[in-house]
Amino acid sequence: MENSHVWTVRDVLNWTSQKFAGLELPTPLLDAQLLIGSVLSLSKVQIYTQLDRPLIPLERAQLRELVRRRLLGEPVAYLLNQKSWHNLDLFVDKRVLVPRPETETLLDVVLAISRSSSQKPNRILDLCTGSGCLAIALAKSFPEAQVDAVDVSAEALEIAKLNATRNEVSNVVFHQGDATSADFLTSLRSDSEFEFVVSNPPYVSEAEWLECDPSVRDFEPKLALVGGQRGWDMPAQLLNALTAAGILSHAKIVGLELGVTHPSVLAETLLPELTPEWCAQPWTEFSCQRPAWEFPTQQWFAVRDYAQQSRFLFLRRA
């Protein structure tokens, strides 16, 4: 962007989106809109009603810096320190993963099962909470429940607490601890049981992490991504700990987001040993668009995402 040229909103929108498209970034126009809107304090609609507005030198300089960082692969959510997710306004930076649409699907299925069975929990457990997106959304959906959110990272919990305040949620209790420790999980139970358990644990394998897009590998926290050599090592340890702590035997709804094919792998290798009483029925997979009342009870099952990939592991007790 040359300083001698009078740059308008139209100019920077076209130039920026073309620059992003040239690098084959997945959403070049949307990225350009978000960055321009942030610098100029404009909504998407306002951008197009002010296409002839000239940018002052300070605005050009601010936009130039954001574009430079985006061209290096830094996620837009980190550039703006903001992510809209399931009606939440979340602060995000390099201390936490950028919340994904897949995790919204996990939340939607949990809420649908709850509605279909008229279950309103008193206590909810969210393991590996990260930005706090799941815990906060569930806290807003069930304002009379206590939500216990766990993460091993003190830095992630700083962000999660900020997001709870930002979204005016006061019924989340945050804990720093190891979600794969049965002793730690037992200490959380106190005098009441967790009726809902959710988790989006690290599930990328070491090999997959090396092949990740640079915008993920170079910027998002590896601790929150990699679940061991096989990817499902960490989820398996988490399920072992939940079983040993006696939490699985009381939970009414359990939902985990995992890597593609991981639900069936765990159904073959781990779940029959941990919970044989819930593995007697044939293994089943369902679309996330299936009516919740058709999901089975008293057994583990998988739910496919909108791309029809088996990604979620569920247990529904009643």
Side-chain angles (χ1 to χ4, degrees), residues 117-305:
S117 53
S118 300
Q119 292 179 343
K120 291 187 177 181
N122 294 310
R123 290 193 78 190
I124 301 170
L125 179 60
D126 174 29
L127 299 174
C128 309
T129 194
S131 65
C133 58
L134 273 175
I136 294 166
L138 287 166
K140 290 180 79 73
S141 297
F142 302 103
E144 296 181 0
Q146 175 179 311
V147 181
D148 291 83
V150 173
D151 206 287
V152 72
S153 168
E155 291 187 335
L157 289 175
E158 290 175 3
I159 300 298
K161 291 174 183 177
L162 185 156
N163 282 326
T165 301
R166 185 175 179 135
N167 288 275
E168 300 181 335
V169 165
S170 60
N171 55 323
V172 182
V173 180
F174 294 97
H175 309 269
Q176 183 181 2
D178 181 0
T180 66
S181 166
D183 289 341
F184 172 73
L185 295 183
T186 300
S187 72
L188 296 182
R189 287 177 62 188
S190 63
D191 58 350
S192 60
E193 302 293 345
F194 293 106
E195 290 139 317
F196 288 10
V197 179
V198 296
S199 182
N200 178 18
Y203 58 73
V204 175
S205 71
E206 288 282 354
E208 289 170 334
W209 181 77
L210 292 173
E211 298 298 322
C212 277
D213 187 277
S215 65
V216 175
R217 188 185 65 245
D218 297 343
F219 293 95
E220 300 198 64
K222 183 179 179 181
L223 178 67
L225 283 165
V226 176
Q229 289 295 328
R230 298 173 295 185
W232 50 269
D233 298 301
M234 167 71 169
Q237 293 165 10
L238 187 150
L239 286 167
N240 271 306
L242 285 168
T243 303
I247 292 175
L248 280 188
S249 61
H250 292 89
K252 295 179 180 178
I253 298 174
V254 179
L256 281 71
E257 177 183 337
L258 303 172
V260 174
T261 75
H262 288 179
S264 59
V265 170
L266 292 173
E268 293 174 3
T269 61
L270 178 68
L271 297 180
E273 177 183 346
L274 290 184
T275 56
E277 69 276 23
W278 297 326
C279 298
Q281 301 298 322
W283 177 248
T284 52
E285 295 186 0
F286 301 91
S287 167
C288 63
Q289 296 172 294
R290 185 134 180 187
W293 61 81
E294 295 184 1
F295 292 144
T297 59
Q298 308 297 335
Q299 70 178 82
W300 291 101
F301 59 94
V303 173
R304 296 187 295 269
D305 61 18

Side-chain angles (χ1 to χ4, degrees), residues 1-3 5-13 16 35-37 39-40 42 47 50-64 67:
M1 286 183 271
E2 299 177 3
N3 291 332
H5 178 73
V6 178
W7 286 81
T8 64
V9 171
R10 178 183 285 104
D11 293 331
V12 296
L13 180 63
T16 304
L35 297 184
I36 292 168
V39 170
L40 303 183
L42 298 177
I47 288 174
Q50 300 187 33
L51 287 173
D52 295 324
R53 168 182 165 178
L55 275 69
I56 63 174
L58 177 61
E59 292 169 337
R60 291 203 309 271
Q62 291 173 336
L63 181 59
R64 189 182 300 114
V67 170

